[in-house]
């Protein structure tokens, strides 16, 4: 418990304002092409109007068009996508020979053409959103149906016709594709290290599925980052990330457990963070961000986040209790 008290005084003291020295640096970047499937670690990623290029552009749906996630299909954690070399270069364009290759235990690889014409299907839904999407065809459907053991289809976000807005109570005008709610999730290495010191068995960062991992700051500093400049790109921290059961799923085996939720319940709840509105079921780990430049095609041009990019904090929340959640 003494360690937790020390943590809160340290993180509150690091709220800070803008400074010539960076608050942290980007240490890893992750993109998840298919919702709830394995992520790809990349040295750099271009920013689009909906998040990093390729992030949650696809998802697997059931016979009713509803999204499958690891919450009910933990085997999705073992599906590993591979994109073509150069796919994260800013000026890269797909061709008829460009494929996303999917691999999973006891399955032959599946090649999904990135340049094919797809049928548009109605009634696709994820959380509160419903609309149309591109159907990746029967071969992909048969692959996922066999793998999951139930009728499944692979769909791609219908970018030309659809928009999926984030919750306007937290960030107005911003859009995402098939992510749970926001374009970017930021977590610090310090937060993970602090948590791992409390756990009997340390966990890798893939349990928490961030887009941006940062290093060089105190544990849970990211809770306080209201307005930042990441390599001169404006990112706004808009909502603490309330965690579901996915962090309890081993991303290497697809099996579930009770940690880290059991430990996070001791110090990352509304009550522990002294938040006014108490939801006893919620624990928080990481901060959801939006990118200000994504609102305008003109300012978005050739914006890329790279490993090693500095992060400067321009505005801070006074404490986690002041951040939205």
């Amino acid at each position: 418990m003494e360690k937790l008290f020390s943590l809160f005084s340290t993180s509150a003291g690091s709220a800070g304002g803008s400074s010539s020295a960076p608050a942290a640096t980007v240490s890893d970047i992750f993109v998840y092409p298919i919702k709830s499937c394995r992520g790809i670690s990349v040295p750099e990623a271009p920013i689009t109007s909906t998040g990093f290029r390729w992030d949650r552009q696809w998802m697997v749906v059931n016979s009713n068009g509803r999204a499958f996630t690891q919450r009910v299909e933990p085997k999705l954690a073992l599906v590993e996508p591979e994109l073509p070399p150069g796919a994260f270069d800013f000026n890269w364009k797909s061709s008829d020979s460009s494929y996303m290759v999917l691999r999973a235990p006891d399955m032959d690889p599946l090649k999904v053409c990135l340049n094919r014409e797809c049928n548009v299907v109605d009634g696709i839904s994820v959380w509160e959103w419903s609309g149309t999407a591109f159907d990746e065809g029967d071969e992909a459907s048969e692959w996922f149906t066999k793998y999951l053991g139930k009728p499944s289809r692979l769909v791609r976000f219908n970018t030309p016709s659809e928009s999926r807005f984030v919750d306007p109570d937290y960030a107005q005008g911003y859009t995402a594709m098939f992510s749970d709610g926001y374009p970017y999730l930021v977590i610090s290495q310090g937060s993970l290290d602090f948590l791992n010191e409390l756990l009997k068995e340390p966990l890798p960062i893939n349990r928490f599925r961030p887009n941006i991992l940062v290093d060089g700051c105190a544990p849970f500093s990211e809770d306080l980052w209201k307005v930042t400049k990441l390599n001169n790109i404006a990112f706004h921290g808009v909502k603490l990330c309330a965690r579901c059961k996915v962090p309890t799923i081993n991303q290497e085996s697809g099996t579930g457990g009770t940690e880290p939720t059991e430990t996070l319940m001791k110090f990352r709840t509304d009550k522990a963070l002294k938040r006014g509105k108490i939801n006893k079921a919620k624990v928080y780990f990481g901060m959801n961000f939006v990118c200000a430049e994504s609102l305008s095609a003109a300012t978005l041009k050739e914006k890329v986040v790279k490993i090693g990019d500095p992060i400067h904090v321009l505005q801070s929340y006074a404490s986690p209790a002041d951040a939205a959640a």
Side-chain angles (χ1 to χ4, degrees), residues 23 43 45 47 63 65 86 134 140 152 210 217 231 233-234 242 277 289 292 311 322:
I47 292 173
S63 56
F134 294 120
S152 310
C217 58
N231 193 26
I233 305 169
K277 187 176 181 181
F289 277 73
I311 300 169
D322 298 298

Side-chain angles (χ1 to χ4, degrees), residues 88-140:
F88 289 93
D89 295 343
F90 191 87
N91 294 316
W92 186 86
K93 301 292 183 183
S94 62
S95 68
D96 292 344
S97 60
S98 301
Y99 293 89
M100 176 174 64
V101 180
L102 306 183
R103 296 179 175 85
D106 302 318
M107 299 290 294
D108 292 331
L110 171 69
K111 296 176 69 176
V112 179
C113 183
L114 299 179
N115 214 38
R116 70 188 291 264
E117 290 188 13
C118 300
N119 293 328
V120 176
V121 289
D122 297 314
I124 302 301
S125 60
V126 54
W127 302 121
E128 79 300 331
W129 180 90
S130 63
T132 64
F134 294 120
D135 191 317
E136 291 291 1
D138 291 342
E139 184 180 2

Side-chain angles (χ1 to χ4, degrees), residues 195 208 220 243 247 259-269 283-285:
L195 173 62
F208 301 96
F220 306 104
R243 305 313 305 223
E259 291 290 13
T261 301
E262 191 173 287
T263 295
L264 289 172
M265 287 294 293
K266 299 175 182 178
F267 73 108
R268 293 294 296 176
T269 62
V283 296
Y284 302 99
F285 196 84

Side-chain angles (χ1 to χ4, degrees), residues 55-73:
D55 194 57
R56 278 84 168 195
Q57 194 159 348
W58 289 265
M59 69 178 178
V60 185
V61 299
N62 65 18
S63 56
N64 295 319
R66 187 71 179 169
F68 277 135
T69 74
Q70 288 186 34
R71 295 166 181 84
V72 293
E73 296 296 338

